[in-house]
Amino acid sequence: MITEKSKELYSKALGFMPGGVNSPVRAYGSVGRTPLFIESAKGSKIYDEDGNEFIDYVCSWGPNILGHCDPAVISAVTEACGRGLTFGACHKGEIRLAQLIQKHFPSMEMLRLVNSGTEAVMSAIRAARGYTGRDKIVKFEGCYHGHSDGLLVSAGSGLLTNSIPSSAGVPVGYTETTLLAKYNDESSVERLFDSDGGQIAAVIAEPCAANMGVVPPKKGFLEFLRKITEQYGAVLIFDEVITGFRLSIGGAQKFYGITPDLTTLGKIVGGGMPLAAYGGKREIMECVAPLGSVYQAGTLSGNPAAVAAGIATIEQLEARPEIYDELDKKSAEIERAMRSAGLNVNRCGSLLTAFFTDGNVTDYDTAKSADTKKYAEYFGYLLENGIYTAPSQFEAMFVSAAHSAEDIKHTCGVIENFR
Ligand code: HOZ
């Protein structure tokens, strides 16, 4: 595979951006390669600057559930751009998108549109603190909720990829209200409520963890979180930035049948544009300014082009409900191929990870036991065979509606032959 143009561009980028990238995992640090520079993408395929074609299973880390350049989404965005890129004022698209979100996430009785998952989570936590008048939050090791200060402790995604336990530049005071629990371990949560119950504003969880690789919740774990938060008057926040509109059109909360108090959405809700949302119980959201005293604002919030992409994407998902069964079947085929290659696999719907571990992965510690050198080999092998996956053991593989039977057959054949 020739990657000369990517190499040349990367050496230029290194002079401008830390590590040559605008988000750390993209630097390919843990897979020992030079990042590919992407020239374009269409349907299930992505093309680099050297003209290499790949079947894309990163899907921009989740948003592209319909594949790249879905015609309805592109036309909605093009039309919206013609009417103005940003108004910094109210427009009717915001109401339409809010209606669509609420229809599929009825727990989001009121919501706010923001620009990124990080912003959505940061704001949801502030709302939970404002509502409860408490400061502490419980987060799970290996879950990643964006890069706001208080959440950069034992986080997944790029921190796990680059072995960063907690970020420099975060004053101790910002993380001392963050209590850590173990994913899938009820007793670790109970201990925190036993000692600090009256001060815990919220428990935040990825209802299916996908930033330490995919780690589904054990049976009863989410039910337990619902129960203990209710018992102590704490807010349960589901971070559905990855799972929202993916595990089902109503996200993980519909898939698992557990209703949180607050939800954060990102990725699919913006159809590939920078848009996210947070929302939940009316009485909590009424604490947000201008109704209440919890402040949160943004010039580009509800950006009309991003809103148009979100509306078009959700309308497509509504018009094609069969997508979810198809995603499940395609992902199950890939899972079978991974297992036949002797890999450990965690899958939840169209999210999956092949782990290079000896045993099952159920939490941060078992995820961290993965042989990342072997993963790097696997990543390189897939790439050389036309398959583009995350350059990190600790991310998900995303299957989209655009992946054809032929794509899946090729992918499975390649994976089965990995030794
Ligand atoms: N932290 C993101 C995935 N969980 C990666 C974002 C990116 O590099 O685009």
Side-chain angles (χ1 to χ4, degrees):
M1 185 170 74
I2 294 168
T3 57
E4 292 318 305
K5 288 193 180 147
S6 280
K7 284 184 182 138
E8 202 183 307
L9 288 165
Y10 187 55
S11 68
K12 281 191 189 150
L14 283 169
F16 294 103
M17 290 163 279
V21 291
N22 287 311
S23 191
V25 180
R26 297 182 198 176
Y28 282 29
S30 70
V31 291
R33 286 184 162 247
T34 304
L36 295 180
F37 275 65
I38 304 305
E39 193 270 329
S40 64
K42 185 135 181 92
S44 62
K45 306 281 178 15
I46 198 159
Y47 303 88
D48 71 9
E49 291 282 353
D50 289 276
N52 298 305
E53 174 186 293
F54 304 94
I55 305 171
D56 178 19
Y57 290 102
V58 177
C59 290
S60 190
W61 310 91
N64 296 327
I65 191 165
L66 300 172
H68 295 275
C69 294
D70 178 81
V73 178
I74 297 294
S75 116
V77 172
T78 310
E79 193 276 329
C81 287
R83 285 184 286 110
L85 289 184
T86 172
F87 310 133
C90 308
H91 62 97
K92 66 183 181 199
E94 295 173 309
I95 303 171
R96 173 72 183 140
L97 183 56
Q99 276 172 335
L100 283 169
I101 294 172
Q102 199 183 73
K103 175 174 166 193
H104 298 293
F105 290 78
S107 68
M108 296 175 79
E109 293 166 2
M110 281 189 121
L111 60 99
R112 263 283 162 84
L113 301 180
V114 292
N115 298 290
S116 71
T118 294
E119 202 186 329
V121 171
M122 185 181 80
S123 310
I125 287 176
R126 190 176 299 150
R129 284 178 165 146
Y131 170 72
T132 56
R134 303 173 183 175
D135 287 343
K136 296 191 177 171
I137 56 160
V138 174
K139 102 168 256 297
F140 293 94
E141 291 175 346
C143 282
Y144 179 73
H145 304 289
H147 62 91
S148 67
D149 288 330
L151 293 164
L152 291 179
V153 216
S154 291
S157 193
L159 289 100
L160 192 47
T161 304
N162 298 303
S163 304
I164 304 173
S166 53
S167 174
V170 177
V172 176
Y174 286 46
T175 52
E176 63 192 13
T177 48
T178 306
L179 310 177
L180 282 176
K182 285 188 186 302
Y183 199 75
N184 278 329
D185 179 347
E186 299 172 3
S187 61
S188 72
V189 181
E190 259 157 4
R191 275 195 295 277
L192 296 175
F193 274 98
D194 281 348
S195 58
D196 294 87
Q199 298 172 64
I200 296 174
V203 172
I204 181 159
E206 292 181 72
C208 170
N211 282 289
M212 47 179 152
V214 173
V215 180
K218 279 186 184 161
K219 203 170 176 332
F221 181 62
L222 299 177
E223 285 83 346
F224 163 78
L225 295 183
R226 182 60 287 180
K227 205 164 151 221
I228 196 159
T229 45
E230 264 165 14
Q231 188 185 335
Y232 283 88
V235 174
L236 179 60
I237 307 174
F238 276 180
D239 180 345
E240 293 229 41
V241 167
I242 288 183
T243 54
F245 295 102
R246 177 164 286 277
L247 293 192
S248 77
I249 196 159
Q253 48 200 268
K254 182 169 180 207
F255 187 82
Y256 293 114
I258 306 292
T259 307
D261 301 307
L262 289 179
T263 300
T264 57
L265 297 171
K267 304 197 190 263
I268 294 174
V269 74
M273 299 285 281
L275 186 142
Y278 74 99
K281 280 192 169 151
R282 186 171 292 274
E283 67 200 51
I284 304 177
M285 292 304 289
E286 281 178 347
C287 295
V288 176
L291 283 185
S293 52
V294 172
Y295 198 69
Q296 175 267 313
T299 297
L300 292 171
S301 293
N303 172 268
V307 163
I311 294 171
T313 300
I314 299 169
E315 285 178 345
Q316 284 291 298
L317 293 172
E318 284 186 336
R320 298 161 60 191
E322 69 285 359
I323 279 181
Y324 290 97
D325 271 352
E326 289 167 8
L327 287 175
D328 195 58
K329 285 194 187 109
K330 290 187 268 192
S331 310
E333 280 184 52
I334 298 176
E335 178 185 356
R336 266 193 298 277
M338 288 170 164
R339 291 198 190 281
S340 85
L343 306 178
N344 250 321
V345 190
N346 276 351
R347 179 173 81 85
C348 193
S350 56
L351 296 170
L352 64 166
T353 299
F355 282 104
F356 290 85
T357 51
D358 291 333
N360 291 338
V361 174
T362 55
D363 58 15
Y364 186 60
D365 291 329
T366 43
K368 274 198 307 187
S369 74
D371 181 345
T372 52
K373 287 207 174 65
K374 197 71 191 165
Y375 181 86
E377 227 179 88
Y378 172 72
F379 170 82
Y381 164 79
L382 294 183
L383 206 60
E384 299 283 346
N385 284 284
I387 299 167
Y388 182 77
T389 55
S392 164
Q393 166 72 96
F394 306 112
E395 300 283 357
M397 183 173 185
F398 295 90
V399 180
S400 83
H403 287 114
S404 65
E406 204 183 311
D407 292 332
I408 301 296
K409 192 167 167 222
H410 173 76
T411 304
C412 291
V414 170
I415 292 175
E416 276 159 12
N417 286 319
F418 178 70
R419 292 292 169 264

